Amino acid sequence: MMASCLYIVGTPIGNLEDITLRGIRILKEVDIIAAEDTRQTAKLLNHYDIKKPMISYHEHNKKTKGDEIIGLIFQGKNVALVSDAGMPCVSDPGEDLVRLCVEKGIEVIPIPGPSASLTALSISGLPTSRFVFEGFLPTKGKERKERLERLRKENRTIILYEAPHRLMTTLKDLKEYMGNVNISISRELTKKFEETLRTDLEGAIEEFSNRNIRGEFVLILEGKSPEAIKEDEEKHWKDISIKDHIIMYMDKGLSKKEAVALVAKERGISKKEVYNISIEI
């Protein structure tokens, strides 16, 4: 082991056997384990008879605990960071601790392990050569709409996480913005009630509207084809006037000049024609 460093240790996403031999060794050898939920991590440590002191590190205490962990490393302690499941630092406050270590010149060593996102992607049956990981969507408001608006034009496979109580809302929102694209939905990966449903968004909405929804979900969505994206973009303006088309883009933050140029390009007409109409705005 290298002295005074931070180890990023991947842990099982369900089945406790899904941890590497190296991961077990590192957890046994470090001085302290920083855990998202010490109670959850205790189950893993007890399973492998690992007896090490733990310190909590999560979203709500990451600033104070991050400084404390940095202090321990500078004192010569080796620290292992684990999340409740999977690789730390992915949709996880561990990224802040790693950034802090990098700023302080502390060595950060990854100990690879399971990842719910890649596990679900590998069995989705959807394209895997190009994909984008979005984690959890914003739960409401303008930020959620803006994120969904960007996904509307995404042609890569999309990976999302979702909690059971928000699943139906998210499926319906995705259908509204993405259309009826194909989707693979995995829940409780590597656990007793593991399940993967491969369908389209309409089928997913119908399926889960008749179920008691439980478990943590990974959604794998098929990206839209260039033709579908172009057709979708045209739907935004073909039934509105040129003036409203300009206003639509100005409301999204574009200047009038930028909006005029974009409207002219999309409609295949001259900038002068669009500019003359923009004078009224």
Side-chain angles (χ1 to χ4, degrees):
M1 296 180 68
M2 297 184 67
S4 304
C5 61
L6 176 70
Y7 290 90
I8 306 300
V9 182
T11 56
I13 59 176
N15 192 313
L16 293 181
E17 294 179 4
D18 293 335
I19 185 170
T20 66
L21 295 175
R22 185 183 178 206
I24 294 171
R25 177 175 64 81
I26 292 297
L27 291 178
K28 287 182 176 181
E29 293 180 356
V30 293
D31 299 295
I32 299 166
I33 297 171
E36 183 178 3
D37 183 338
T38 55
R39 296 166 300 179
Q40 185 69 21
T41 299
K43 298 175 185 178
L44 175 67
L45 300 186
N46 290 337
H47 185 80
Y48 288 101
D49 194 28
I50 299 172
K51 304 183 186 303
K52 289 291 176 177
M54 285 191 285
I55 181 174
S56 68
Y57 177 84
H58 49 71
E59 183 63 35
H60 304 294
N61 70 1
K62 62 184 181 182
K63 178 160 179 44
T64 55
K65 291 296 184 178
D67 291 338
E68 183 177 340
I69 291 168
I70 293 296
L72 289 168
I73 295 173
F74 277 132
Q75 292 172 25
K77 305 292 186 181
N78 287 297
V79 180
L81 175 68
V82 298
S83 64
D84 286 349
M87 282 300 295
C89 311
V90 180
S91 282
D92 177 89
E95 68 174 303
D96 295 277
L97 182 58
V98 170
R99 187 181 304 113
L100 193 57
C101 285
V102 172
E103 291 173 357
K104 301 292 185 181
I106 294 172
E107 185 79 19
V108 181
I109 301 176
I111 311 298
S115 166
S117 57
L118 295 182
T119 301
L121 176 65
S122 70
I123 60 172
S124 68
L126 296 174
T128 60
S129 58
R130 296 177 68 244
F131 59 89
V132 56
F133 175 72
E134 288 286 331
F136 289 94
L137 290 174
T139 56
K140 57 185 177 180
K142 180 181 178 182
E143 190 179 355
R144 182 178 178 90
K145 290 180 180 178
E146 288 177 349
R147 184 79 63 84
L148 287 164
E149 191 67 47
R150 289 200 295 271
L151 292 181
R152 186 198 295 273
K153 301 178 182 180
E154 183 57 69
N155 62 2
R156 294 169 293 181
T157 300
I158 301 165
I159 305 176
L160 297 169
Y161 288 160
E162 194 51 277
H165 63 281
R166 290 195 300 263
L167 179 66
M168 285 300 296
T169 297
T170 292
L171 290 175
K172 290 175 181 177
D173 283 349
L174 290 170
K175 171 66 169 54
E176 178 184 348
Y177 282 83
M178 297 287 295
N180 192 32
V181 298
N182 291 322
I183 185 171
S184 173
I185 303 177
S186 294
R187 61 181 287 272
E188 298 295 273
L189 284 167
T190 77
K191 300 175 185 176
K192 181 178 180 180
F193 298 105
E194 175 182 330
E195 175 186 19
T196 294
L197 172 69
R198 302 173 185 87
T199 180
D200 53 31
L201 280 168
E202 286 183 357
I205 291 169
E206 180 179 359
E207 172 70 22
F208 286 101
S209 64
N210 298 313
R211 291 174 56 168
N212 182 17
I213 303 174
R214 294 181 178 177
E216 298 299 320
F217 291 82
V218 184
L219 314 181
I220 312 293
L221 286 112
E222 183 177 29
K224 299 179 74 171
S225 68
E227 295 77 17
I229 293 173
K230 182 178 180 181
E231 181 181 348
D232 187 55
E233 288 175 344
E234 290 178 351
K235 286 179 181 178
H236 280 283
W237 56 260
K238 68 178 183 179
D239 295 326
I240 62 175
S241 68
I242 294 176
K243 180 179 178 180
D244 287 340
H245 196 176
I246 298 168
I247 293 172
M248 179 183 77
Y249 283 122
M250 290 178 65
D251 287 344
K252 291 183 178 182
L254 273 64
S255 68
K256 183 185 288 190
K257 182 178 179 180
E258 291 170 330
V260 166
L262 188 54
V263 169
K265 180 181 178 181
E266 289 186 344
R267 289 181 176 259
I269 57 180
S270 70
K271 288 184 183 179
K272 183 177 180 180
E273 181 181 350
V274 180
Y275 173 76
N276 289 337
I277 294 173
S278 74
I279 295 173
E280 304 172 14
I281 301 173

